[in-house]
Amino acid sequence: MKNYFIIILTVIIMTSITVEIKSQQYQKRSDIPEKYKWNLKDFFESNYEWQESRKEIEDGLPKLKMYKGKLGESSETLYNALANYTDLRKKYYKLLVYAYRLGDEDLNISENQELVQQTSSLGTQFSEASSYITPELLAIDPEIIEKYINEKAELNEYKFFIESSQRLREHTLSDAEESLLATAGMLRSNNSSVYNIFDNAEKPNSSVTLSNGEQVTVDAAGFSRWRGSSNREDRKNVMEANFESYEKFKNTFGANLAGKLKTDWFFAKTRKYNSTLESSLDGNNIPISVYENLITQVNKNLPALHRFLDLKKKMLGVDTLHYFDLYAPLVENVELNYTVDEGQNLLLEVFKPLGEEYVNTVKKSFDNRWIDYYPTPGKRSGAYSHGAAYDIHPVILMNWTDDYNSVSTLAHELGHTMHSYFSNTNQPFVNAGYATFVAEIASTINENFLNDYMVENAKTEKEKLFLLGSYLDLLRATIFRQTSFAEFELEIHKKIENNEPLTGQILSDIYYNIVKKYYGHDNGACVVDDYIQYEWAYIPHFLNYTYYVFQYSTSLIYATGISEKIKAEGQPAIDNYYKILKGGGSDYPVNLVKKAGIDPLGSEAFDITIKRMNDVMDQIEEILAKK
Ligand SMILES: [Zn+2]
């Protein structure tokens, strides 16, 4: 339960895409036809009704506290306490979804932002009132828990919740030590704060003169814009300038990152873990072998990346491919246009291989106003799905701009929404929230099916090349690049755990060796120029997360394994897939993936993904050969 809130927030962060608004179809929210706006009346009829519910929750907090110190007393008390707690939490999520969604419609309406603030302060009160639950559950003897569950059948609903709290027993310390660790927790964000302030605001940026004579500053926005320039000299200069600006501060960045790694190790070691990796994965009970298997399998498949780099070299028409060529467009962008209605109809066709139940539920989300489509002044940018309102329905925020990106973003968010909907309708509330490890599977499966459909139905060879090329770029950036990051993280944590020195230069050496290996620097696949060694300092994830990015790779690989099986086997594979969709958080995420027919410790999903990658490259080569 404690993780539930974090999970939802992560889902939002991970899927926020800044969409450039090309045409502002509507200036006022009131001009938009109702069917293109989400219906928040499904949650509360009015703000007045919302306030009533808020008061009810607030009034319930003293009762929540009443069970403090009593959870282990009897099966009856344990059940009543947990039922009361989850019921209040369920109501709180409904409150939260309404307030935040209403706030996102127009961030300038202060009356609605007040509801957001009220929600947030109620959340703090709620956390305080319920903070005793996990530690108290943990302290009850497992045999007594078993006895209580046998005594009171209703407790079965909470069995997995109790078990997953109790699992952390051996890593929980005495009260005094826990209180010390809780206080020390405020030190954990120091290094990421320093990084974010320095990187975003105070670090001087280089400037570059582009081929058109324009002088530009290579800040974050400039870098992501010009690194993909179709002018080779421009993208070379921009990349060089960007990473050289990090080189100047490599010692500062290095000391700061080493500080973060030491903090992680302090907490892991204090909690009696053998490594930071073990400690980070234990929250979701993911064995470290899952992480190690990802690295092994991706390394084994580096020849597929090298084939892609070779293809890129040919398509760009260069003698030697350099790292600064990686973001150059493989093929010219093709403009594809869709209205909301066209996008909806397209997706209903696209999802047909997933079966009737899936398509009907997607249709339900279109027909019953779960989605807010159009951008208007003041509306939150990007896109997200939010599925925490257990007994209502998930909602999606979009900023639709009539292009292909809008369609693929909607496909992605619908994956999250279907996952939430099926989990909420098949699991008790306490087991409905799902872990990050499985959160991006449904969204990626939807994108895979969209890509297949678009390629099959492409109107021109140019369009087909564009779609196939974008898919390969996605695999490069998600599977290979993120796994290289995962490998880097593992190596630098080990340095700290073995008491070895870690400076800016050592970090750069480690990073450079990994990148050279991945991109085949020594076998001529891609030249990784000297200044690329400082790229690690540019990646905020190393400071802001711990062992997180590997899940981008595993999600895409498992999702591809599942979608290819669905295409090959049909219904039996769909039935397996529903074990994730309807499973919510009823089991540990690795077990859910296994139930869906994918072994996170095996090589099958990796082989399937690489086969698909090679098939796509075959198709591209076939088209190119005709030209
Ligand atoms: Zn997502």
Side-chain angles (χ1 to χ4, degrees), residues 168-205:
L168 300 172
R169 248 174 118 84
E170 52 180 306
H171 301 289
T172 306
L173 312 172
S174 71
D175 286 353
E177 288 166 322
E178 282 293 334
S179 135
L180 208 62
L181 278 189
T183 312
M186 67 176 154
L187 307 175
R188 293 202 87 161
S189 56
N190 285 353
N191 298 106
S192 66
S193 305
V194 169
Y195 179 86
N196 292 323
I197 291 169
F198 186 60
D199 189 52
N200 294 319
E202 293 187 338
K203 182 176 80 66
N205 295 308

Side-chain angles (χ1 to χ4, degrees), residues 11 15 412 416 440 443:
V11 169
T15 59
H412 181 104
H416 293 305
E440 292 298 334
S443 52

Side-chain angles (χ1 to χ4, degrees), residues 10-16 385 412-413 416 439-440 443-444 447:
T10 331
V11 169
I12 294 177
I13 293 162
M14 285 169 72
T15 59
S16 278
S385 160
H412 181 104
E413 301 308 336
H416 293 305
E440 292 298 334
S443 52
T444 312
E447 286 189 68

Side-chain angles (χ1 to χ4, degrees), residues 48-88:
Y48 175 79
E49 213 183 75
W50 184 90
Q51 289 293 0
E52 293 289 296
S53 171
R54 188 188 66 78
K55 273 182 228 135
E56 191 194 323
I57 298 170
E58 204 170 43
D59 293 344
L61 295 179
K63 192 178 169 197
L64 186 60
K65 284 190 223 165
M66 256 168 44
Y67 293 100
K68 192 175 176 188
K70 296 180 183 158
L71 290 194
E73 272 181 3
S74 70
S75 55
E76 194 67 26
T77 312
L78 182 61
Y79 171 75
N80 289 338
L82 291 179
N84 177 53
Y85 165 67
T86 45
D87 182 55
L88 267 187

